[in-house]
Amino acid sequence: MTYRRAVIPALFGGVLITLLLWWAGESAEALRLRGSTSVLDIDSVNELRNWLAPWSYDLSTASADPATGGGTPYADLYRTGMQIRFVAVLGFFVAGALLLVRRIPPTRGRTPATVLALWAWGPVAGTLAVTVSAPWLIAARGHGSYRVLPQLASVIASSGPVPVFAGLLTALLTVLVARVTAKGEESPARRDVPPRAARVAASAGTAVVAVSLVGLSHVSVAAWIQTSFSGRGLLSEPGDLLREWLLLGSWAGPAGGPLGDWLLYRAADLLTLVVVWWSLRLLPGLLTRTTAPAMAVSTVCAVLLGLTASQFVRTAVDDTASVWGPLHLFSGLGSNVPAALTFGILAGAAAFAALRLTGGGSDRDGDTAKVPEPDAAPLSPPRA
């Protein structure tokens, strides 16, 4: 798909997800109404309030700290930060969607892949927007000079599940618009990638993701990362920030709990790696052109899809709904996005390099070039 055709659905999706997140933030005030707890239980109301708080323009709704709601300078800083946040959501989603719709157009068997990729890109755009606007939100709390990096890590991790649900609706409608704009354009068929090259590329990318999910996410390693910095000053505590950008999960040995529950949670982690491997296995054939940016962005989406699938598995074995309410089961959606960005980009680069080294990559759009067969008819003898 050409840029001229792809920019229309990308802009539509960016505006739509921005409006959905803005509407969600404005709806947070409704949870303060007197009858809200009669419709939903108090735990569900509090959970929804936590979900919507990062997207609310109302400083009193978005924060329970009374010190942040008193002064006008703090309120102005907060509004500025929220304006930056929503503009950043629009920009990041349009940039990613433009690349995804162009390289994985929703035609010729690629439509499900396009929907899934755009859905996964929604939380990524939300997290990047939260990260960009974090300094203004930290300053609006009135004590931005205290533990800057831990505060930054807390804000980055606060996007919540709302971009996941908004991203699903946005992906579906964006693909519909993309199918309309793609009419009349000849889209190349899925490429025939050598199976060995695709498997090697998928294995290389999955191994990079496993470094975080299996190695760094072990509680002993994670604790070392978080507590290995003990200096003084504003930037002396990067442990919390590194934890956000390096860890895709958290796990330990089966100590103090049933072995069956431990195995179920490890099966969820294994499902993440399976989804990543299978996505990378199919990705070279889905892309109209195998480039490093397309592989990196698509691999980030694959890691997010794997984390989302594992979170749904965890909801099936989680028994905290009776304590914290049913909405608490989905509170983990949209988490670990910073680490998915870090290792998704690295895994995409590794898969791209492996694909090129094994001869599975091609710089040409569409199918790989075919060498014309020589004419089988014998040449006629010269006439006497």
Side-chain angles (χ1 to χ4, degrees), residues 208-248:
V208 174
V209 176
V211 170
S212 172
L213 190 62
V214 179
L216 299 181
S217 294
H218 192 274
V219 290
S220 60
V221 182
W224 178 82
I225 292 174
Q226 191 168 9
T227 60
S228 58
F229 301 91
S230 58
R232 293 184 179 182
L234 295 178
L235 304 179
S236 62
E237 298 175 342
D240 292 341
L241 191 60
L242 285 176
R243 186 184 180 99
E244 285 296 323
W245 291 91
L246 295 180
L247 304 188
L248 284 168

Side-chain angles (χ1 to χ4, degrees), residues 62-82:
S63 176
D65 187 357
T68 62
T72 302
Y74 294 155
D76 291 341
L77 277 173
Y78 183 82
R79 284 192 293 270
T80 301
M82 292 307 298

Side-chain angles (χ1 to χ4, degrees), residues 29-368:
E29 185 64 26
L31 298 175
R32 293 180 177 270
L33 297 177
R34 182 174 300 177
S36 60
T37 55
S38 62
V39 178
L40 300 171
D41 58 273
I42 185 64
D43 293 324
S44 297
V45 170
N46 291 333
E47 191 70 37
L48 277 176
R49 189 175 298 164
N50 292 332
W51 289 9
L52 302 178
W55 308 101
S56 175
Y57 259 96
D58 188 357
L59 183 57
S60 61
T61 302
S63 176
D65 187 357
T68 62
T72 302
Y74 294 155
D76 291 341
L77 277 173
Y78 183 82
R79 284 192 293 270
T80 301
M82 292 307 298
Q83 292 169 1
I84 294 172
R85 179 167 295 186
F86 283 107
V87 171
V89 166
L90 175 63
F92 283 123
F93 189 87
V94 169
L98 182 61
L99 179 61
L100 291 172
V101 173
R102 176 165 162 75
R103 293 305 176 203
I104 313 178
T107 55
R108 295 199 179 190
R110 294 186 175 97
T111 301
T114 311
V115 172
L116 292 175
L118 291 175
W119 179 28
W121 188 250
V124 175
T127 299
L128 290 174
V130 168
T131 304
V132 170
S133 61
W136 286 266
L137 275 297
I138 293 174
R141 295 175 179 176
H143 44 77
S145 61
Y146 175 70
R147 293 172 58 87
V148 177
L149 295 183
Q151 287 190 78
L152 183 59
S154 177
V155 174
I156 291 174
S158 66
S159 60
V162 175
V164 178
F165 298 111
L168 178 58
L169 179 60
T170 301
L172 293 172
L173 296 181
T174 301
V175 166
L176 290 179
V177 175
R179 288 182 67 89
V180 173
T181 58
K183 285 185 176 180
E185 183 181 54
E186 183 65 24
S187 179
R190 293 179 58 171
R191 298 174 54 242
D192 187 13
V193 180
R196 179 180 174 275
R199 288 194 296 267
V200 171
S203 301
T206 306
V208 174
V209 176
V211 170
S212 172
L213 190 62
V214 179
L216 299 181
S217 294
H218 192 274
V219 290
S220 60
V221 182
W224 178 82
I225 292 174
Q226 191 168 9
T227 60
S228 58
F229 301 91
S230 58
R232 293 184 179 182
L234 295 178
L235 304 179
S236 62
E237 298 175 342
D240 292 341
L241 191 60
L242 285 176
R243 186 184 180 99
E244 285 296 323
W245 291 91
L246 295 180
L247 304 188
L248 284 168
S250 177
W251 68 281
L259 179 61
D261 292 346
W262 183 85
L263 291 175
L264 285 174
Y265 280 101
R266 299 292 71 76
D269 293 335
L270 180 61
L271 178 62
T272 301
L273 297 178
V274 170
V275 171
V276 171
W277 188 91
W278 188 250
S279 301
L280 293 179
R281 168 67 177 82
L282 300 177
L283 187 59
L286 293 171
L287 292 172
T288 57
R289 185 180 180 187
T290 307
T291 61
M295 286 291 293
V297 172
S298 302
T299 305
V300 170
C301 295
V303 176
L304 260 296
L305 289 175
L307 292 175
T308 303
S310 66
Q311 183 61 37
F312 280 117
V313 171
R314 287 187 171 92
T315 59
V317 300
D318 199 346
D319 57 352
T320 60
S322 59
V323 180
W324 301 104
L327 291 180
H328 182 71
L329 295 175
F330 303 100
S331 61
L333 292 176
S335 59
N336 305 118
V337 177
L341 268 168
T342 301
F343 286 93
I345 293 174
L346 294 177
F352 178 75
L355 199 64
R356 285 301 179 90
L357 290 176
T358 54
S362 175
D363 289 334
R364 297 186 53 183
D365 289 339
D367 294 331
T368 55

